[in-house]
Amino acid sequence: MNPIAASNDFVVKFANINGSGSASANELFAKCILRMGVPVGPRNIFPSNIQGLPTWYEVRVSEAGWLGRRGGYDLLVAMNPQTWDADVKGLAPGGYLFYDNSKPLPKFKFRDDVTTIGVPLTDIANHAWDDARQRQLFKNIMYIGALSVLLGIERDVIVALIGEQYKGKQALLDPNVHALDLGREYASQHLPPIGLKIERRDNVGDRIFVDGNSAAALGMVYGGATVCAWYPITPSSSLAEAFQKYCAKLRVDPETGKHRYAIVQAEDEIASIGIVTGAGWNGARAFTATSGPGISLMNEIIGLAYFAEIPVTLVDVQRGGPSTGMPTRTQQADVTFCAHASHGDTRHALLFPEDPHECFEFAALALDLADRLQTPVFVLSDLDIGMNHRLCKPFQWDDARHYDRGKVLTAEELEAGKPFGRYRDVDGDGIPWRTYPGTHPTRGSFFTRGTSKNADAKYSEKGEDYVENVQRLQRKLDTAKALLPQPVLHRAPHPARHGAIHFGSTSPSMAEAIAKLDADGMHIDALRVRGFPFADSVREFIDSHDEVFVVEQNRDGQLRSLLIEQFEIDPARLIPILHFDGTPITARFIAKAIGERMGKAEVMPMRGGKVA
């Protein structure tokens, strides 16, 4: 088996132990390649305990700009004896196995069809440092140093990044650079060249490298949110923490020093959604960040906000379920749950961002939509977007943009005698007028209730009043279709009988899979949906194809279920392509699954003829 030879197009997998301090070193590795102008797509796969279990970090290096998981890996940095056998087994034939050879391993631990690269990291660290914790931490930087020589990553780039990380902290900066140089020195003197290389390019452009939770938090600030109530839960906690950080910079009165925001870490998720609903009723822009178990607890108050028509924004950073499930694994498994959160005939607007750029945009948009529609609005991110860094377009904000507060009567309009019925549909869009508390001393007041009422907010259990109310709420969601982000269409280079619908974090792997299918002569149109209820163009896309694959990361085909529900489509025409093991979906998985259906057994072979 010939060793793999590739420049700026390969996958590196780090296998570490959680709590070993490897995360910052592995992220440093990814950023170094970015600084050399080559796009990367990193993925951190980590356990839900604090310390001791296996953790993995994949870095997709792609000069062509593919940012999704490819599937498989070409270079393994094996630093965890617990997972050694499985990690080595998954390495591509012809790949490279980098490991700490301070202690000899039996021959059966290796493979004949891969190149082994041993570096005595523990021995070098023990000689250089006396403190056990320092030995462990700097061993991680040492392997980055050795890899930088093997792959051709420039030392100055790494040193500059270390300098930025430890700016003003010379006591930390110097030993990190020393550890880097120890790894580089050993590799330079003892290791032969390998076939994988990083070569300088200028393919990153003006894109930024950011995680989705930070992006959504900043979108909330720019979108006008002044209240955040939350309870810590993986993988959404960093969103609320980032919002607090940004508010401290951007929401403090420069003259008085007063904070123009309120952030409450509530006693639980029920309290947090109650706070946000109360703030929305009072006219503030408010949101909560949570994950699936949090939405489960919030259901009753979500239903209240829906039926009483109170603006509420929720960011659900999805993870593996049900119950506790897999807290640190990604899925798209809250789709139908959020669409119908609470009991009764309830339906909510959903937004599906594909990357941090859209997390920023959709967070701000969700606040507008919640005010405009007077209803809960969900932003459905997931762990893959929320907690992993992605390359994306820079954020942009139009300073002339005005917040859409929807139908709100002013004191002047009330004083002039404008009619007001809190739940009255006056123009057919299903959205009534509302007032803020205290707008007028005698006019515009109403009783907010979760029980059935008539158009003037008076208690009523008359069948006709209830029917009109719930039908009006449905009209409101029909109105939402035109306000939500419209689908993004990709046309195949040749007429296509098959189509594919996908959403959210599936997008980067989907794009690569479609390109591979095209190259193999299997042409497919693709539509990325960005909101629910779905636009009419989604139905038109389905009708224009014989079969449509629905690609999503859950067991039950939840997006497919919503498509069937909304459009009353024959289920046989929508072919589910489902991935739900908790890891981000790969391009190879999608291409193989679609390719087999379209008549070709293997469309994306790995080296050695196996499909990952």
Side-chain angles (χ1 to χ4, degrees):
M1 174 64 64
N2 293 324
I4 296 171
S7 173
N8 295 344
D9 184 16
F10 52 89
V11 177
V12 182
K13 183 172 185 175
F14 296 85
N16 299 98
I17 298 173
N18 200 36
S20 65
S22 60
S24 59
N26 297 342
E27 186 174 303
L28 174 68
F29 175 82
K31 288 181 177 179
C32 291
I33 298 172
L34 275 181
R35 289 287 177 93
M36 291 186 65
V38 181
V40 296
R43 297 293 191 290
N44 191 16
I45 302 171
F46 58 99
S48 57
N49 75 330
I50 296 174
Q51 189 167 331
L53 287 182
T55 182
W56 296 270
Y57 190 86
E58 285 187 11
V59 179
R60 173 77 186 277
V61 180
S62 174
E63 183 176 320
W66 302 120
L67 300 179
R69 287 185 75 216
R70 184 197 70 185
Y73 43 97
D74 309 302
L75 168 60
L76 171 65
V77 181
M79 304 301 293
N80 187 353
Q82 300 172 46
T83 61
W84 173 280
D85 292 342
D87 293 332
V88 172
K89 183 180 179 180
L91 182 60
Y96 301 87
L97 169 60
F98 181 105
Y99 74 108
D100 182 353
N101 68 349
S102 298
K103 292 183 179 181
L105 294 174
K107 186 176 181 181
F108 69 83
K109 287 288 187 179
F110 300 92
R111 285 171 44 187
D112 294 335
D113 61 345
V114 301
T115 300
T116 58
I117 306 167
V119 179
L121 297 169
T122 300
D123 289 346
I124 298 172
N126 289 347
H127 184 267
W129 293 280
D130 296 326
D131 181 79
R133 183 59 177 165
Q134 284 185 322
R135 288 172 174 174
Q136 175 58 55
L137 293 174
F138 292 132
K139 187 163 66 173
N140 299 321
I141 302 300
M142 283 165 43
Y143 69 63
I144 299 300
L147 290 172
S148 70
V149 171
L150 291 169
L151 298 174
I153 301 173
E154 298 164 8
R155 177 184 181 275
D156 290 349
V157 170
I158 312 174
V159 172
L161 280 166
I162 294 174
E164 293 171 14
Q165 183 175 353
Y166 298 111
K167 186 177 181 180
K169 301 176 182 178
Q170 203 67 30
L172 294 173
L173 173 61
D174 290 342
N176 273 276
V177 174
H178 179 54
L180 175 75
D181 286 337
L182 286 176
R184 288 183 60 86
E185 180 181 352
Y186 184 89
S188 298
Q189 295 178 2
H190 298 93
L191 301 180
I194 66 173
L196 304 179
K197 294 297 177 186
I198 300 295
E199 298 178 353
R200 264 204 176 271
R201 294 291 186 268
D202 188 17
N203 290 11
V204 174
D206 65 349
R207 286 179 290 178
I208 60 176
F209 194 53
V210 64
D211 64 275
N213 282 353
S214 295
L218 193 60
M220 290 295 177
V221 174
Y222 274 80
T226 56
V227 176
C228 170
W230 65 296
Y231 184 78
I233 182 171
T234 302
S236 70
S237 295
S238 62
L239 198 162
E241 293 164 353
F243 181 73
Q244 184 168 6
K245 179 183 70 174
Y246 293 135
C247 283
K249 292 181 179 180
L250 302 172
R251 282 279 170 77
V252 177
D253 190 304
E255 296 182 359
T256 65
K258 290 183 178 181
H259 291 181
R260 294 174 171 171
Y261 60 93
I263 300 173
V264 182
Q265 183 176 321
E267 61 265 34
D268 55 31
E269 286 90 350
I270 299 172
S272 66
I273 190 64
I275 293 167
V276 169
T277 302
W281 174 85
N282 203 44
R285 290 199 149 183
F287 78 97
T288 188
T290 189
S291 192
I295 300 292
S296 294
L297 291 169
M298 295 176 182
N299 262 244
E300 184 175 4
I301 298 180
I302 291 172
L304 169 65
Y306 172 77
F307 203 49
E309 301 181 63
I310 300 171
V312 172
T313 299
L314 305 95
V315 183
D316 178 4
V317 188
Q318 299 169 92
R319 71 188 210 186
S323 186
T324 305
M326 296 192 293
T328 59
R329 297 293 191 264
T330 195
Q331 278 191 0
Q332 297 174 317
D334 296 347
V335 179
T336 52
F337 180 41
C338 290
H340 298 289
S342 195
H343 54 276
D345 291 324
T346 309
R347 187 173 296 177
H348 305 293
L350 313 179
L351 300 173
F352 305 123
E354 70 163 344
D355 64 3
H357 178 83
E358 286 194 343
C359 284
F360 172 81
E361 286 194 337
F362 289 5
L365 175 62
L367 295 166
D368 273 351
L369 289 172
D371 269 348
R372 175 76 175 269
L373 297 168
Q374 300 173 32
T375 196
V377 173
F378 290 78
V379 180
L380 263 62
S381 176
D382 59 35
L383 185 146
D384 186 28
I385 303 173
M387 294 192 71
N388 286 314
H389 279 69
R390 294 272 191 93
L391 271 181
C392 66
K393 294 185 295 184
F395 306 150
Q396 294 182 331
W397 187 261
D398 183 358
D399 289 334
R401 174 174 170 175
H402 295 287
Y403 299 145
D404 185 350
R405 302 309 299 259
K407 297 178 179 178
V408 181
L409 287 174
T410 64
E412 292 75 18
E413 289 171 321
L414 291 168
E415 184 65 32
K418 186 168 183 175
F420 175 62
R422 174 62 186 98
Y423 298 110
R424 190 176 301 281
D425 186 357
V426 297
D427 52 14
D429 64 1
I431 306 170
W433 286 85
R434 64 175 173 139
T435 59
Y436 297 141
T439 297
H440 191 281
T442 59
R443 299 176 182 176
S445 62
F446 61 93
F447 193 89
T448 304
R449 63 177 83 243
T451 54
S452 182
K453 58 268 183 182
N454 64 17
D456 295 315
K458 295 178 181 179
Y459 176 76
S460 172
E461 291 191 13
K462 292 181 180 180
E464 58 268 27
D465 287 337
Y466 176 81
V467 168
E468 165 55 26
N469 210 31
V470 295
Q471 286 183 334
R472 181 180 55 76
L473 291 173
Q474 179 57 52
R475 290 198 297 275
K476 179 193 293 190
L477 267 293
D478 291 338
T479 298
K481 291 193 296 184
L483 303 176
L484 294 168
Q486 296 302 294
V488 177
L489 175 64
H490 167 84
R491 284 287 186 197
H494 301 281
R497 294 174 50 246
H498 291 85
I501 292 176
H502 62 102
F503 70 105
S505 63
T506 302
S507 179
S509 292
M510 189 74 198
E512 184 178 3
I514 289 172
K516 178 59 181 174
L517 289 166
D518 281 340
D520 288 342
M522 288 179 283
H523 305 299
I524 182 170
D525 296 327
L527 189 73
R528 178 168 68 91
V529 295
R530 301 195 294 166
F532 171 83
F534 306 114
D536 293 338
S537 59
V538 178
R539 177 61 189 259
E540 295 167 4
F541 178 85
I542 295 171
D543 288 345
S544 65
H545 295 89
D546 294 344
E547 287 184 331
V548 175
F549 303 101
V550 185
V551 185
E552 48 189 314
Q553 299 181 66
N554 57 68
R555 183 197 67 186
D556 293 340
Q558 296 184 22
L559 188 78
R560 176 175 176 268
S561 295
L562 290 182
L563 289 166
I564 294 168
E565 172 192 308
Q566 180 173 324
F567 296 127
E568 299 181 351
I569 291 171
D570 177 5
R573 297 189 57 218
L574 299 179
I575 312 303
I577 304 294
L578 307 176
H579 181 277
F580 48 91
D581 68 0
T583 62
I585 196 169
T586 69
R588 288 180 173 176
F589 175 89
I590 297 170
K592 180 177 183 291
I594 292 178
E596 287 178 342
R597 177 77 185 196
M598 293 177 68
K600 190 172 182 180
E602 284 188 10
V603 299
M604 208 173 205
M606 287 178 58
R607 298 169 182 88
K610 295 182 180 180
V611 176

